Amino acid sequence: MTVAVTDKCRDCRYTECVTVCPVSCFHGDDTMLYIDPVACIQCQACVPVCPVQAIYDEADLPAELAFWVEVNAERAANLPLVEEKQTPLKAGA
């Protein structure tokens, strides 16, 4: 099992999740964040703090979003670590 960020994060990129992660498993590109499933300890601390409900435990992931588990693994491996809260992309956030 793992935790995954879905496309609900795209173009918002809130980083409240990063501030509660005890193992620094978030990586990001210019539009969204991704979770490294190797580093993630499945504590789920990030799930309730996401203001757009973009993060799911794999067990709770709707079937049509299941592919995001693989997307997170692939993208996180090649992107820089995000360890600090950043300004969100959404205006007025």
mmCIF file of all heavy atoms in Angstrom, residues 4-5 8 10 12-14 17 21 27 31 35 43 48 54 56 59 63 65 71-73 78-79 82 88-89:
data_model
loop_
_atom_site.group_PDB
_atom_site.id
_atom_site.type_symbol
_atom_site.label_atom_id
_atom_site.label_comp_id
_atom_site.label_asym_id
_atom_site.label_seq_id
_atom_site.Cartn_x
_atom_site.Cartn_y
_atom_site.Cartn_z
ATOM 1 N N ALA A 4 -0.881 8.412 -2.533
ATOM 2 C CA ALA A 4 -0.618 9.031 -3.831
ATOM 3 C C ALA A 4 -1.314 10.378 -3.960
ATOM 4 O O ALA A 4 -2.413 10.579 -3.454
ATOM 5 C CB ALA A 4 -1.078 8.110 -4.956
ATOM 6 N N VAL A 5 -0.666 11.272 -4.680
ATOM 7 C CA VAL A 5 -1.243 12.569 -5.033
ATOM 8 C C VAL A 5 -1.913 12.409 -6.396
ATOM 9 O O VAL A 5 -1.351 11.787 -7.295
ATOM 10 C CB VAL A 5 -0.162 13.665 -5.109
ATOM 11 C CG1 VAL A 5 -0.779 15.008 -5.460
ATOM 12 C CG2 VAL A 5 0.619 13.760 -3.805
ATOM 13 N N LYS A 8 -5.937 16.408 -8.727
ATOM 14 C CA LYS A 8 -6.586 17.518 -8.018
ATOM 15 C C LYS A 8 -5.540 18.517 -7.526
ATOM 16 O O LYS A 8 -5.858 19.658 -7.232
ATOM 17 C CB LYS A 8 -7.391 17.002 -6.830
ATOM 18 C CG LYS A 8 -8.609 16.204 -7.216
ATOM 19 C CD LYS A 8 -9.336 15.736 -5.964
ATOM 20 C CE LYS A 8 -10.513 14.870 -6.285
ATOM 21 N NZ LYS A 8 -11.181 14.379 -5.059
ATOM 22 N N ARG A 10 -2.970 19.439 -9.383
ATOM 23 C CA ARG A 10 -2.454 20.158 -10.548
ATOM 24 C C ARG A 10 -2.920 21.611 -10.533
ATOM 25 O O ARG A 10 -4.079 21.910 -10.347
ATOM 26 C CB ARG A 10 -2.886 19.492 -11.847
ATOM 27 C CG ARG A 10 -2.225 20.138 -13.067
ATOM 28 C CD ARG A 10 -2.448 19.362 -14.335
ATOM 29 N NE ARG A 10 -1.640 18.147 -14.297
ATOM 30 C CZ ARG A 10 -2.121 16.939 -14.548
ATOM 31 N NH1 ARG A 10 -3.375 16.755 -14.853
ATOM 32 N NH2 ARG A 10 -1.333 15.891 -14.492
ATOM 33 N N CYS A 12 -2.576 23.826 -8.372
ATOM 34 C CA CYS A 12 -2.793 24.449 -7.059
ATOM 35 C C CYS A 12 -1.496 24.363 -6.273
ATOM 36 O O CYS A 12 -1.025 25.322 -5.760
ATOM 37 C CB CYS A 12 -3.846 23.808 -6.203
ATOM 38 S SG CYS A 12 -5.025 22.735 -6.830
ATOM 39 N N ARG A 13 -1.014 23.144 -6.155
ATOM 40 C CA ARG A 13 0.259 22.855 -5.499
ATOM 41 C C ARG A 13 0.362 23.446 -4.104
ATOM 42 O O ARG A 13 1.331 24.097 -3.753
ATOM 43 C CB ARG A 13 1.405 23.324 -6.367
ATOM 44 C CG ARG A 13 2.533 22.336 -6.325
ATOM 45 C CD ARG A 13 3.691 22.791 -7.106
ATOM 46 N NE ARG A 13 4.802 22.615 -6.186
ATOM 47 C CZ ARG A 13 6.037 22.843 -6.443
ATOM 48 N NH1 ARG A 13 6.395 23.290 -7.580
ATOM 49 N NH2 ARG A 13 6.941 22.637 -5.565
ATOM 50 N N TYR A 14 -0.663 23.187 -3.316
ATOM 51 C CA TYR A 14 -0.575 23.536 -1.895
ATOM 52 C C TYR A 14 0.490 22.652 -1.280
ATOM 53 O O TYR A 14 0.675 21.518 -1.702
ATOM 54 C CB TYR A 14 -1.913 23.288 -1.202
ATOM 55 C CG TYR A 14 -3.000 24.225 -1.650
ATOM 56 C CD1 TYR A 14 -3.944 23.822 -2.594
ATOM 57 C CD2 TYR A 14 -3.084 25.510 -1.140
ATOM 58 C CE1 TYR A 14 -4.949 24.680 -3.012
ATOM 59 C CE2 TYR A 14 -4.083 26.375 -1.545
ATOM 60 C CZ TYR A 14 -5.012 25.953 -2.479
ATOM 61 O OH TYR A 14 -5.995 26.800 -2.892
ATOM 62 N N CYS A 17 0.864 19.578 3.000
ATOM 63 C CA CYS A 17 1.230 18.167 3.130
ATOM 64 C C CYS A 17 2.709 17.995 3.456
ATOM 65 O O CYS A 17 3.092 17.134 4.247
ATOM 66 C CB CYS A 17 0.882 17.410 1.859
ATOM 67 S SG CYS A 17 1.524 18.180 0.353
ATOM 68 N N CYS A 21 4.770 15.894 6.774
ATOM 69 C CA CYS A 21 5.409 14.635 6.381
ATOM 70 C C CYS A 21 6.668 14.391 7.228
ATOM 71 O O CYS A 21 7.606 15.191 7.189
ATOM 72 C CB CYS A 21 5.785 14.665 4.900
ATOM 73 S SG CYS A 21 6.540 13.133 4.337
ATOM 74 N N HIS A 27 7.905 15.243 -3.824
ATOM 75 C CA HIS A 27 8.710 15.799 -4.900
ATOM 76 C C HIS A 27 7.767 16.628 -5.760
ATOM 77 O O HIS A 27 6.560 16.388 -5.786
ATOM 78 C CB HIS A 27 9.332 14.678 -5.735
ATOM 79 C CG HIS A 27 10.311 13.865 -4.944
ATOM 80 N ND1 HIS A 27 11.660 14.004 -5.087
ATOM 81 C CD2 HIS A 27 10.125 12.920 -3.982
ATOM 82 C CE1 HIS A 27 12.274 13.182 -4.260
ATOM 83 N NE2 HIS A 27 11.361 12.512 -3.573
ATOM 84 N N THR A 31 3.833 22.192 -11.635
ATOM 85 C CA THR A 31 2.382 22.239 -11.488
ATOM 86 C C THR A 31 1.806 21.442 -10.327
ATOM 87 O O THR A 31 0.693 21.714 -9.891
ATOM 88 C CB THR A 31 1.678 21.754 -12.775
ATOM 89 O OG1 THR A 31 2.037 20.401 -13.029
ATOM 90 C CG2 THR A 31 2.037 22.631 -13.956
ATOM 91 N N ILE A 35 4.325 11.810 -4.506
ATOM 92 C CA ILE A 35 4.867 11.104 -3.353
ATOM 93 C C ILE A 35 5.760 9.969 -3.816
ATOM 94 O O ILE A 35 5.367 9.150 -4.650
ATOM 95 C CB ILE A 35 3.740 10.555 -2.464
ATOM 96 C CG1 ILE A 35 2.960 11.714 -1.837
ATOM 97 C CG2 ILE A 35 4.285 9.628 -1.379
ATOM 98 C CD1 ILE A 35 1.740 11.300 -1.045
ATOM 99 N N CYS A 43 2.050 6.945 6.739
ATOM 100 C CA CYS A 43 1.499 7.469 7.992
ATOM 101 C C CYS A 43 0.176 8.201 7.751
ATOM 102 O O CYS A 43 -0.602 8.393 8.681
ATOM 103 C CB CYS A 43 2.493 8.388 8.679
ATOM 104 S SG CYS A 43 2.740 9.985 7.845
ATOM 105 N N PRO A 48 -5.342 14.355 5.465
ATOM 106 C CA PRO A 48 -6.348 15.309 5.938
ATOM 107 C C PRO A 48 -5.967 16.781 5.796
ATOM 108 O O PRO A 48 -6.845 17.639 5.839
ATOM 109 C CB PRO A 48 -6.537 14.942 7.412
ATOM 110 C CG PRO A 48 -5.273 14.278 7.805
ATOM 111 C CD PRO A 48 -4.767 13.583 6.565
ATOM 112 N N ALA A 54 -6.529 16.091 -2.642
ATOM 113 C CA ALA A 54 -5.797 15.499 -3.763
ATOM 114 C C ALA A 54 -5.006 14.261 -3.367
ATOM 115 O O ALA A 54 -4.524 13.541 -4.237
ATOM 116 C CB ALA A 54 -4.837 16.532 -4.353
ATOM 117 N N TYR A 56 -4.603 10.561 -1.491
ATOM 118 C CA TYR A 56 -5.382 9.397 -1.082
ATOM 119 C C TYR A 56 -4.470 8.272 -0.605
ATOM 120 O O TYR A 56 -3.410 8.048 -1.192
ATOM 121 C CB TYR A 56 -6.162 8.818 -2.270
ATOM 122 C CG TYR A 56 -7.280 9.649 -2.784
ATOM 123 C CD1 TYR A 56 -7.045 10.667 -3.701
ATOM 124 C CD2 TYR A 56 -8.597 9.391 -2.406
ATOM 125 C CE1 TYR A 56 -8.096 11.420 -4.209
ATOM 126 C CE2 TYR A 56 -9.651 10.133 -2.914
ATOM 127 C CZ TYR A 56 -9.388 11.146 -3.814
ATOM 128 O OH TYR A 56 -10.423 11.883 -4.322
ATOM 129 N N ALA A 59 -5.765 2.421 -0.585
ATOM 130 C CA ALA A 59 -6.983 1.657 -0.293
ATOM 131 C C ALA A 59 -8.252 2.476 -0.520
ATOM 132 O O ALA A 59 -9.317 1.925 -0.786
ATOM 133 C CB ALA A 59 -6.949 1.145 1.143
ATOM 134 N N ALA A 63 -11.264 3.829 -8.238
ATOM 135 C CA ALA A 63 -10.707 2.987 -9.305
ATOM 136 C C ALA A 63 -10.225 3.801 -10.499
ATOM 137 O O ALA A 63 -9.177 3.499 -11.076
ATOM 138 C CB ALA A 63 -11.738 1.953 -9.752
ATOM 139 N N LEU A 65 -8.867 6.550 -10.539
ATOM 140 C CA LEU A 65 -7.651 7.302 -10.211
ATOM 141 C C LEU A 65 -6.490 6.387 -9.822
ATOM 142 O O LEU A 65 -5.420 6.867 -9.461
ATOM 143 C CB LEU A 65 -7.932 8.282 -9.074
ATOM 144 C CG LEU A 65 -8.988 9.353 -9.342
ATOM 145 C CD1 LEU A 65 -9.208 10.215 -8.107
ATOM 146 C CD2 LEU A 65 -8.607 10.215 -10.535
ATOM 147 N N VAL A 71 2.006 6.866 -11.490
ATOM 148 C CA VAL A 71 2.468 8.200 -11.891
ATOM 149 C C VAL A 71 3.333 8.807 -10.789
ATOM 150 O O VAL A 71 4.405 9.358 -11.057
ATOM 151 C CB VAL A 71 1.280 9.130 -12.232
ATOM 152 C CG1 VAL A 71 1.750 10.568 -12.433
ATOM 153 C CG2 VAL A 71 0.541 8.628 -13.463
ATOM 154 N N ASN A 72 2.886 8.712 -9.542
ATOM 155 C CA ASN A 72 3.661 9.249 -8.426
ATOM 156 C C ASN A 72 5.033 8.605 -8.347
ATOM 157 O O ASN A 72 6.036 9.294 -8.199
ATOM 158 C CB ASN A 72 2.912 9.050 -7.102
ATOM 159 C CG ASN A 72 1.922 10.148 -6.822
ATOM 160 O OD1 ASN A 72 2.139 10.999 -5.983
ATOM 161 N ND2 ASN A 72 0.807 10.140 -7.535
ATOM 162 N N ALA A 73 5.075 7.285 -8.456
ATOM 163 C CA ALA A 73 6.349 6.566 -8.374
ATOM 164 C C ALA A 73 7.305 6.996 -9.486
ATOM 165 O O ALA A 73 8.484 7.262 -9.232
ATOM 166 C CB ALA A 73 6.110 5.065 -8.444
ATOM 167 N N ASN A 78 12.270 11.334 -10.387
ATOM 168 C CA ASN A 78 13.057 12.227 -11.244
ATOM 169 C C ASN A 78 12.877 13.706 -10.942
ATOM 170 O O ASN A 78 13.317 14.546 -11.728
ATOM 171 C CB ASN A 78 12.680 11.962 -12.701
ATOM 172 C CG ASN A 78 13.012 10.555 -13.117
ATOM 173 O OD1 ASN A 78 14.141 10.113 -12.985
ATOM 174 N ND2 ASN A 78 12.017 9.818 -13.582
ATOM 175 N N LEU A 79 12.237 14.024 -9.827
ATOM 176 C CA LEU A 79 11.968 15.423 -9.498
ATOM 177 C C LEU A 79 12.609 15.806 -8.173
ATOM 178 O O LEU A 79 12.865 14.949 -7.323
ATOM 179 C CB LEU A 79 10.451 15.658 -9.416
ATOM 180 C CG LEU A 79 9.709 15.566 -10.743
ATOM 181 C CD1 LEU A 79 8.202 15.522 -10.498
ATOM 182 C CD2 LEU A 79 10.076 16.740 -11.638
ATOM 183 N N VAL A 82 10.650 18.370 -2.200
ATOM 184 C CA VAL A 82 10.024 19.586 -1.686
ATOM 185 C C VAL A 82 9.871 19.370 -0.183
ATOM 186 O O VAL A 82 9.117 18.495 0.251
ATOM 187 C CB VAL A 82 8.649 19.852 -2.335
ATOM 188 C CG1 VAL A 82 8.006 21.084 -1.745
ATOM 189 C CG2 VAL A 82 8.784 19.981 -3.845
ATOM 190 N N PRO A 88 1.223 28.640 -2.846
ATOM 191 C CA PRO A 88 0.424 27.844 -3.774
ATOM 192 C C PRO A 88 0.283 28.535 -5.131
ATOM 193 O O PRO A 88 0.442 29.750 -5.240
ATOM 194 C CB PRO A 88 -0.939 27.732 -3.101
ATOM 195 C CG PRO A 88 -0.827 28.370 -1.779
ATOM 196 C CD PRO A 88 0.454 29.098 -1.707
ATOM 197 N N LEU A 89 -0.036 27.763 -6.147
ATOM 198 C CA LEU A 89 -0.204 28.312 -7.487
ATOM 199 C C LEU A 89 -1.556 28.986 -7.671
ATOM 200 O O LEU A 89 -1.689 29.888 -8.482
ATOM 201 C CB LEU A 89 -0.037 27.209 -8.537
ATOM 202 C CG LEU A 89 1.313 26.511 -8.566
ATOM 203 C CD1 LEU A 89 1.307 25.408 -9.610
ATOM 204 C CD2 LEU A 89 2.435 27.491 -8.825
#
